[in-house]
Amino acid sequence: MADMADINALEIAWEKLSKIYGIQLLPITYVNSTASIKGFVGAHGGATITSGNAESVLRWALKKERLSFLPDEYLGRNTAFKLGVSLDEMAVWNPFTDCIEGNEEGLKIILWKGFRFVHKKFTIEDINRIRKTFPEMAIAAHPECTFDVVQNSDFSGSANAIINVLKEALAGSQWAIGTEANLVNRLIAENPDKTIIHLSKNESHCDSMNKITLVNLREVLEGILEKNFLGVIKVDEALTKNAVKALNRMMTIK
């Protein structure tokens, strides 16, 4: 998802949006973004979010005049709508055309045209198929899914929220889950007293997440013990300070 927004595109967007809206613009970024994006957000008074604390951070941010939310359009729209922001008060910034898609007036949040492939795969057709085939089955979807999928689900929440809902669900209950396949398979294994299936006919795997293996983790941990650090990423000191500002603001918001 971090590849959906780069710093050059953001700087172009910010210059153009600032000409339209002046200084009354606050950037918010998902933690699944680059260090450069986090640094930009921190330098401009904004904060990072996770899917788990998106509501609390956006509730804080919406006290400002107007927000720029990146890089996940769907997480921003679903969370803002849940907090009472109407669809008419949202528009999308398209970094490929460098313009706003939708009305520029009366906006509270400008969403970045980006998404996570693994969650965009779920469709309203998947939901309709489940409703028809398993009418007693509840549907839970991650808030990175499209707006229509989230609106037509019985529950939407972060990975941790979905885990907790399934854990507390009644024995014998039935669930179709719209999120990354490995998590769904884990939920199936951890909840043998419930019927749990994938929302889509085809399991939706995240290739990026699957690049991280137990072998990789072991090698890194062993390297740390031996002071042979693997895969070191160095970030500019000034950029680091601003990125930390964005992270710290998130951590202080209740």
Side-chain angles (χ1 to χ4, degrees):
M1 181 185 292
D3 291 337
M4 288 288 173
D6 65 66
I7 189 61
N8 293 328
L10 177 56
E11 288 174 345
I12 291 171
W14 197 258
E15 181 180 358
K16 294 192 174 185
L17 291 173
S18 295
K19 289 180 180 178
I20 300 173
Y21 301 113
I23 63 172
Q24 301 299 324
L25 191 62
L26 183 72
I28 301 294
T29 186
Y30 200 6
V31 290
N32 292 356
S33 57
T34 65
S36 296
I37 296 292
K38 293 185 182 73
F40 182 97
V41 169
H44 288 80
T48 58
I49 67 161
T50 69
S51 58
N53 65 20
E55 287 186 39
S56 59
V57 175
L58 276 191
R59 190 178 291 111
W60 164 81
L62 284 167
K63 296 176 184 177
K64 307 295 182 180
E65 182 79 12
R66 192 172 287 105
L67 309 182
S68 171
F69 184 96
L70 66 161
D72 191 303
E73 171 187 347
Y74 302 118
L75 177 62
R77 179 180 290 108
N78 289 321
T79 306
F81 187 81
K82 190 173 183 179
L83 293 175
V85 180
S86 70
L87 296 180
D88 291 338
E89 295 173 306
M90 307 182 208
V92 176
W93 175 266
N94 188 335
F96 302 102
T97 59
D98 292 329
C99 66
I100 292 177
E101 296 180 349
N103 184 18
E104 294 182 3
E105 302 299 324
L107 297 180
K108 287 188 176 180
I109 182 167
I110 302 165
L111 306 163
W112 192 268
K113 195 175 186 69
F115 55 88
R116 188 178 178 200
F117 288 98
V118 70
H119 287 128
K120 193 178 181 182
K121 291 179 180 178
F122 300 108
T123 66
I124 193 67
E125 287 74 24
D126 290 325
I127 290 181
N128 292 338
R129 175 179 51 81
I130 294 295
R131 298 291 190 208
K132 182 178 180 180
T133 309
F134 308 102
E136 301 300 318
M137 186 166 281
I139 296 174
H142 195 281
E144 291 173 11
C145 293
T146 60
F147 183 75
D148 57 350
V149 167
V150 169
Q151 289 303 304
N152 286 280
S153 297
D154 300 294
F155 174 81
S156 177
S158 65
N160 193 57
I162 293 175
I163 290 171
N164 289 333
V165 164
L166 268 293
K167 182 178 179 180
E168 297 171 3
L170 294 174
S173 59
Q174 304 175 48
W175 294 83
I177 311 298
T179 192
E180 206 277 332
N182 285 319
L183 176 56
V184 179
N185 291 332
R186 171 184 159 189
L187 290 169
I188 292 171
E190 292 179 349
N191 296 273
D193 59 334
K194 295 141 193 154
T195 299
I196 301 171
I197 64 172
H198 296 264
L199 176 58
S200 174
K201 286 183 177 180
N202 300 313
E203 295 186 6
S204 187
H205 289 273
C206 177
D207 293 337
S208 296
M209 291 175 64
N210 289 332
K211 290 177 181 177
I212 303 171
T213 67
L214 288 175
V215 173
N216 298 147
L217 178 59
R218 185 191 66 192
E219 289 174 348
V220 170
L221 294 176
E222 289 175 345
I224 292 173
L225 290 174
E226 298 168 1
K227 299 189 182 302
N228 178 28
F229 304 111
L230 303 175
V232 175
I233 299 173
K234 295 183 179 180
V235 180
D236 176 79
E237 185 176 352
L239 176 60
T240 298
K241 288 181 179 179
N242 284 325
V244 169
K245 287 180 182 178
L247 291 163
N248 283 341
R249 287 192 188 104
M250 174 184 69
M251 299 300 291
T252 59
I253 295 170
K254 302 299 182 182

